[in-house]
Amino acid sequence: MIILQWCKTQIMCLLILAYIGIIYIREGNHLNQISKKNNCNFIFDVLFIVTELAILFDGITACTINFQERIPLIVNLLAHLGMFVFYEIFATLLFLYWVFETVGKPKRKGSMVAYLLPSIISICLTIYFIPELKFIHGQYTNYSMGTAVYVSFICAAFYCVLTIAVIIMKCRYIPKKKRKALSTTLIFIVIIMALQIFSPESLVTCIAAMMVMISIYINMENPAIHGLEHYHHEMVMGFATLVENKDDNTGGHIRRSSAYAVLIAQNLRKNEKYKNLITKDFIDNLAQSAPMHDIGKIGIPDAILQKPGKLTAEEFDTMKKHPVIGGKIIEDTFGHLFNGEYENMAFQVARYHHEKWNGKGYPDGLSGLDIPLCARIMAVADVFDAVSAKRCYRDAMPLEECYNIISNGRGVDFDPDIVDAFMLDRDKVEEIYDSEIHI
């Protein structure tokens, strides 16, 4: 029982993380079976394991350092080396996790080398200086000091500062509802790290590591939240597909057009004018709103939707009512089930995706920037998929001709910036195009 006197904090942290790990694995596996894909973040999985190892070695050293007369020096040194190295890896992986979550995986190998190089140097220096480690007899417990300790803490502090910088600079890539919780966690972590640095005897580093993992799990990786998002998406896609079947389609249009819309938004945020507008919330809401852009067609007679020939003027006037009907359905039904920003975007996408840049669209004749951004994006995505897929009244057009239709509509039917964003990555466009059978 005397061992608990020295490592009870670490044991508590390990038990809490073990409990979270069991839930994460159980619920994560269940979600993967439902969605038929792996939703787990690989870096988070590795970070979780590294955190437990770091806290485990932290607890071991808390014991060995207080039983120096019974524990061989080499065992004490190796235990401390394990603790220092795993905490350094923890700080590095934490930084990489947030880089991947905000700006994505670096495309250049040189970037990854630059990210990892300080950690590699730090680990090498820690190994080199570990034999010089000194054990200090404190008022309440023994603790270690020396160059290896300084190197390890400098490395951890360096990557923690980088992590905070990434979160602050790229906060628009983090959902708004999660920013406050994450910011609060960062404040507590800074306080705990400062306490450890200025009071080496406190041995509270494990609490900071545990809080990091709990915060990321609750706010970013919780399978239960991902499950709700999955069910929401499936509900929206199911309803949208049901409506699309009235138009003699099988769901391919809503999946492709939604993917095109998200691709445009992702490319558009590279434009300086839009970097503060295209947030993570914007893209997430667009991904959920885009499938419902044509739900108003549920109120259009099948004879018009499935007519193999050209519509008469009267029939086209009836068809032009579907954006108004769609907006009304979202206002009265779907919108109130979810958050206000999502409701507003879903309404705008449904009602305004047939508006044109020159003001000659319908139903309200809006022009230019008066058309909501999400609807301007949807307009390009919708038209491209409409002309590139076979319909009951015509065959699919060749891809090059489809691109020309979008290019020729630049500044006339479509927002020039959005056309440029769409054309920025034709390889990705064609990957989406090829992912569905065009029949």
Side-chain angles (χ1 to χ4, degrees):
M1 293 298 295
I2 193 171
I3 293 177
L4 295 178
Q5 176 182 346
W6 312 115
C7 61
K8 55 181 179 291
T9 303
Q10 290 83 356
I11 291 175
M12 177 194 70
C13 292
L14 284 173
L15 289 175
I16 292 173
L17 287 180
Y19 173 72
I20 291 175
I22 292 170
I23 297 175
Y24 176 66
I25 293 171
R26 185 181 62 200
E27 293 188 359
N29 288 338
H30 175 63
L31 178 60
N32 293 338
Q33 291 172 3
I34 294 172
S35 63
K36 299 188 186 309
K37 67 178 182 178
N38 184 7
N39 290 286
C40 298
N41 187 316
F42 175 72
I43 291 186
F44 176 77
D45 295 344
V46 177
L47 180 59
F48 200 98
I49 295 171
V50 168
T51 304
E52 291 184 294
L53 289 172
I55 295 175
L56 175 63
F57 275 95
D58 196 339
I60 293 172
T61 58
C63 293
T64 60
I65 199 172
N66 285 287
F67 292 94
Q68 297 177 49
E69 66 282 359
R70 304 180 190 178
I71 304 295
L73 177 61
I74 186 64
V75 173
N76 222 331
L77 292 177
L78 289 175
H80 278 80
L81 177 61
M83 179 184 67
F84 295 147
V85 168
F86 279 119
Y87 273 130
E88 288 167 314
I89 296 174
F90 164 80
T92 307
L93 288 175
L94 178 62
F95 167 68
L96 289 178
Y97 174 85
W98 282 110
V99 170
F100 280 44
E101 281 293 322
T102 53
V103 299
K105 183 179 179 179
K107 296 180 179 180
R108 293 180 298 179
K109 292 183 179 180
S111 298
M112 280 298 296
V113 172
Y115 292 156
L116 296 174
L117 187 59
S119 180
I120 295 172
I121 293 173
S122 176
I123 290 173
C124 291
L125 289 174
T126 301
I127 295 172
Y128 180 78
F129 287 111
I130 201 70
E132 302 176 10
L133 199 64
K134 298 177 181 179
F135 302 123
I136 310 298
H137 182 70
Q139 183 177 357
Y140 304 105
T141 182
N142 296 339
Y143 58 94
S144 57
M145 294 297 289
T147 305
V149 177
Y150 305 141
V151 169
S152 181
F153 268 100
I154 289 173
C155 175
F158 172 75
Y159 278 107
C160 284
V161 169
L162 287 182
T163 300
I164 294 172
V166 167
I167 293 175
I168 292 174
M169 291 189 297
K170 303 298 181 181
C171 65
R172 62 184 181 277
Y173 297 155
I174 303 171
K176 186 187 300 183
K177 60 186 178 182
K178 300 177 180 179
R179 293 177 199 165
K180 290 183 179 179
L182 293 170
S183 299
T184 302
T185 303
L186 288 175
I187 292 172
F188 276 110
I189 290 169
V190 169
I191 293 173
I192 291 172
M193 293 299 292
L195 176 62
Q196 181 63 67
I197 292 172
F198 293 106
S199 178
E201 193 177 343
S202 60
L203 303 180
V204 292
T205 305
C206 60
I207 297 177
M210 180 193 68
M211 288 186 63
V212 166
M213 297 311 300
I214 292 176
S215 179
I216 293 178
Y217 173 81
I218 292 174
N219 292 289
M220 305 297 293
E221 299 294 336
N222 190 340
I225 301 300
H226 290 312
L228 289 174
E229 293 171 349
H230 172 75
Y231 294 137
H232 172 201
H233 180 70
E234 288 299 305
M235 184 192 72
V236 170
M237 291 297 291
F239 183 77
T241 301
L242 178 66
V243 174
E244 189 177 10
N245 285 337
K246 285 172 55 66
D247 200 9
D248 200 26
N249 284 292
T250 58
H253 171 65
I254 58 173
R255 288 191 290 271
R256 289 188 303 270
S257 59
S258 298
Y260 293 141
V262 171
L263 175 64
I264 291 170
Q266 291 171 340
N267 288 339
L268 195 61
R269 72 180 179 185
K270 300 173 185 176
N271 186 324
E272 191 68 22
K273 288 162 50 177
Y274 295 94
K275 71 175 186 178
N276 293 323
L277 295 175
I278 309 294
T279 63
K280 183 68 165 60
D281 290 305
F282 182 96
I283 293 176
D284 288 346
N285 287 332
L286 180 62
Q288 296 296 329
S289 300
M292 295 197 291
H293 69 280
D294 272 340
I295 66 166
K297 287 184 178 180
I298 198 171
I300 305 299
D302 292 353
I304 294 177
L305 291 174
Q306 299 176 13
K307 183 177 179 179
K310 184 177 180 180
L311 298 179
T312 65
E314 183 179 349
E315 289 171 334
F316 188 59
D317 285 341
T318 301
M319 177 67 83
K320 290 197 293 185
K321 295 177 181 178
H322 81 268
V324 176
I325 297 171
K328 184 66 174 173
I329 290 173
I330 290 171
E331 278 188 319
D332 294 344
T333 309
F334 280 86
H336 300 298
L337 297 176
F338 309 110
N339 67 74
E341 291 182 0
Y342 167 73
E343 174 187 353
N344 188 47
M345 183 177 290
F347 170 80
Q348 291 175 346
V349 165
R351 184 174 178 101
Y352 303 121
H353 70 281
H354 281 296
E355 300 289 356
K356 294 184 178 180
W357 186 253
N358 61 6
K360 296 183 179 180
Y362 62 88
D364 298 314
L366 301 181
S367 64
L369 299 179
D370 289 336
I371 306 170
L373 176 59
C374 57
R376 304 200 307 267
I377 292 173
M378 195 68 233
V380 173
D382 185 41
V383 169
F384 181 82
D385 190 72
V387 297
S388 64
K390 183 178 179 179
R391 293 298 176 92
C392 60
Y393 50 86
R394 60 156 176 78
D395 289 330
M397 297 182 184
L399 270 186
E400 199 57 41
E401 187 175 342
C402 299
Y403 284 124
N404 289 337
I405 289 174
I406 300 300
S407 296
N408 293 337
R410 186 181 187 276
V412 181
D413 296 332
F414 312 120
D415 182 339
D417 289 334
I418 292 174
V419 171
D420 293 343
F422 178 76
M423 294 295 187
L424 191 62
D425 196 351
R426 287 178 53 160
D427 289 342
K428 184 64 176 177
V429 169
E430 290 170 24
E431 181 182 325
I432 295 170
Y433 174 86
D434 291 334
S435 67
E436 299 285 349
I437 300 176
H438 289 63
I439 58 173

